[in-house]
Each structure stands twice: as structure tokens, then as C-alpha cells.
Amino acid sequence: MRKVKVAATQMSCSNNMEENIQRAESLVRQAAAKGAQIIQLQELFETPYFCQKEKADYYAYATELEQNKAVNHFRQIAKELEVVLPISFYEKKNNARYNSLAVIDATGEVLGLYRKSHIPDGPGYEEKFYFNPGDTGFKVWNTRYGKIGIGVCWDQWYPEAARCMALMGAEILFYPTAIGSEPEDSTIDSKDHWQVCMLGHAAANLVPVVASNRIGVEEDEDSSITFYGSSFIAGPQGNKVAESSRDNEEVIVAEFDLDQLEIQRIEWGIFRDRRPDLYKTIATYDGEQMIK
């Protein structure tokens, strides 16, 4: 048996970066006290979700990996608590800016970096103004407690990303997120759609999925988003095993036996029966076969 406990957290964020980091640390400590070994914090938790408006002033939030406050802070926390912490941050690299994530192992070592692949662009979610498309490709990390794959927010809508990480050996998928209401249409509530999409990743790949969202109302001039929380942990059949509320700061935890899940994946035959030779269409934009 190779059992691992995972956690998802959710919180609101203020304009005070130090306060946000301390609040995130409190949640990590709560999760560790519950036995969690891999703990997911939400997307870009150092600041409010600044992508509601296109403002050049917000470029100043970006830092190089080595100088990022949250990454350096949580390296010490990970080592102290012996937990794995994927940390979302706004990365500056020369003239490029990325929506990035550093994976910190239980030793405090940064195992590497993932840059968000899919960048959304719409009212209230103006991310193409702030981020270059990620250039790392999908990545899987061999941590102390298991092999994990991580996508960032908009990545979670793409089954191709989840399948790639599963093919690379990911035993659990993690998604830090910032999603809520639509500033230009308050009748839209994507919470159920958001969850069902990721539950499908769990079921189709027979791997647990951990999603961490933010909560609270954030306003920028005439734009307002109510982040709907609802962070959750899914089992490998696409079943929700833990779920947070829409508006409370919370920590949820679940345990999985990774060896048993591996046996289930083999027995089910999903990866054995794949036909990658027939999937060329998925690598096109328009659905036509690629020219050889």
C-alpha cells in the first residue's frame, strides 16, 4: 500500500501580499495537521485576481522564480511540515510574463516550474494582456508522496491536458483556480460545469483530481467577480469525495491508495486499449487530417 493524503484549500485575497501569504500558510498548517501530505493552494493567491482589467501597473506583480515571496516562504514551510506544495505565482523571465507554478517537494526543494498552457481572454478574465502562453509543455513531478500532474485554471477545461499528464504517469491531478461570476452576465453560474469537466478527467483517466478555487468578491473599477469557491477532491471514478462551500475559508482532505489505483487502471484497460494512431485529428485546429 502506498497511501497519500491530499488537501485543497480556499480563501479570499486582499491587496496586502504579506497578509495573503500568512493566510495561505495558516491553511497549509491546518491541512498538515489533518495529515495532508500534498496541499494545493489556489491560483495567484499572493494578490487579488488582477486580470479583471487591462492595467500595465499590474505587470509589477511579476517576479523571477528565485525572488518570488510566496515560493521562498513556502519552501521553508514545506521543509518544516514535510509536505509537497505546488505554488502558483506571476513569473517574470526577461521580457516574458507567465502564469506559473513552482512545485516544492517535502524537502523544501523546488522540483521545477510549469507555465500555464491555455490563456483565456474574455470580460473579467483578461489574461492574454498579462501572460505569454506557457512554453514548458505539460509536466509531471516525482514528489516524495507520489507522481503528480498540475494544470492551472483554464487548463482544467481541456481533456487533452489531463490525458497527457496521465500518459506521463501522473497518479493525481491538481488544478489551482480562480473562477467565479461573469462580470457582463450575472445569470451565468459555471460552478457545476466547472466541476463536471474535471470530474470527467478523473473518470476518463482513473486518477484523483484536486481543485482549489478562491472565494470572495473582488472589484476593479466597474468590474466585479464573485469567486464561488466549491473547491473539491474527486475520486478515480469521477465521484466527489470532498467539497467546500461557495463562500467560506476551508480546508478539505482525502486519502488515496496509489498502488490500488494503479491496479484499477491496469484492470480497466483504458490505457491498454488506446489507439493513438487514430487520434491525429486532435492535433489539428480545424478537424482536418494533418498533411504528412
Side-chain angles (χ1 to χ4, degrees):
M1 289 191 302
R2 198 159 48 96
K3 291 187 176 181
V4 60
K5 277 191 177 181
V6 298
T9 70
Q10 62 182 38
M11 68 182 205
S12 60
C13 295
S14 72
N15 288 307
N16 186 320
M17 185 177 292
E18 297 296 338
E19 180 181 282
N20 294 332
I21 290 173
Q22 290 302 317
R23 184 175 295 164
E25 178 186 334
S26 174
L27 293 177
V28 166
R29 291 188 180 279
Q30 290 177 47
K34 294 181 177 183
Q37 297 156 300
I38 309 175
I39 303 165
Q40 185 61 69
L41 293 161
Q42 65 213 36
E43 181 185 22
L44 299 172
F45 64 86
E46 289 181 285
T47 64
Y49 180 73
F50 52 85
C51 306
Q52 287 195 58
K53 291 285 187 178
E54 296 185 357
K55 294 183 177 180
D57 288 350
Y58 294 153
Y59 290 139
Y61 286 143
T63 64
E64 295 186 359
L65 170 64
E66 294 78 11
Q67 279 73 53
N68 181 261
K69 287 185 178 181
V71 172
N72 287 324
H73 182 86
F74 282 103
R75 287 188 66 185
Q76 302 304 315
I77 302 302
K79 183 177 181 180
E80 174 194 341
L81 301 177
E82 297 188 55
V83 296
V84 174
L85 297 173
I87 299 297
S88 170
F89 73 105
Y90 188 12
E91 182 196 5
K92 171 186 176 182
K93 183 65 175 180
N94 297 324
N95 290 313
R97 302 290 185 275
Y98 299 99
N99 189 335
S100 296
L101 185 140
V103 179
I104 305 173
D105 207 0
T107 58
E109 175 191 3
V110 176
L111 296 180
L113 191 72
Y114 168 69
R115 292 169 172 161
K116 185 174 180 177
S117 301
H118 303 94
I119 309 298
D121 185 38
Y125 300 89
E126 307 281 355
E127 295 200 11
K128 281 186 167 64
F129 184 79
Y130 296 99
F131 309 125
N132 293 79
D135 58 0
T136 58
F138 305 117
K139 305 191 81 168
V140 168
W141 313 95
N142 230 337
T143 74
R144 178 183 293 186
Y145 304 113
K147 205 168 185 179
I148 64 175
I150 307 170
V152 178
C153 201
W154 197 233
D155 290 333
Q156 68 209 355
W157 295 92
Y158 295 86
E160 301 92 336
R163 176 52 58 89
C164 285
M165 290 186 282
L167 288 172
M168 294 165 71
E171 298 173 295
I172 308 174
L173 298 178
F174 291 82
Y175 293 96
T177 298
I179 187 170
S181 60
E182 300 295 327
E184 293 195 355
D185 190 345
S186 61
T187 68
I188 296 174
D189 185 345
S190 60
K191 179 257 184 183
D192 289 342
H193 185 190
W194 170 72
Q195 287 191 341
V196 166
C197 191
M198 281 180 284
L199 294 176
H201 301 336
N205 294 291
L206 281 85
V207 296
V209 167
V210 181
S212 174
N213 194 18
R214 65 173 63 202
I215 58 171
V217 178
E218 296 187 16
E219 297 178 342
D220 195 335
E221 296 179 352
D222 61 343
S223 181
S224 177
I225 297 178
T226 301
F227 293 96
Y228 51 58
S230 305
S231 303
F232 69 94
I233 301 172
Q237 285 80 41
N239 53 312
K240 279 189 281 188
V241 298
E243 182 177 6
S244 298
S245 68
R246 293 180 72 106
D247 50 14
N248 291 321
E249 187 174 286
E250 291 181 46
V251 172
I252 53 175
V253 175
E255 184 176 66
F256 299 100
D257 184 336
L258 299 182
D259 286 339
Q260 183 59 40
L261 294 184
E262 182 180 13
I263 292 170
Q264 289 178 13
R265 283 193 295 275
I266 295 169
E267 289 180 338
W268 205 246
I270 283 185
F271 293 96
R272 177 197 65 205
D273 298 338
R274 291 180 67 253
R275 291 292 308 278
D277 56 311
L278 301 180
Y279 302 156
K280 294 183 178 66
T281 303
I282 204 70
T284 69
Y285 279 110
D286 63 4
E288 298 290 339
Q289 293 291 329
M290 293 185 296
I291 297 174
K292 295 183 180 180

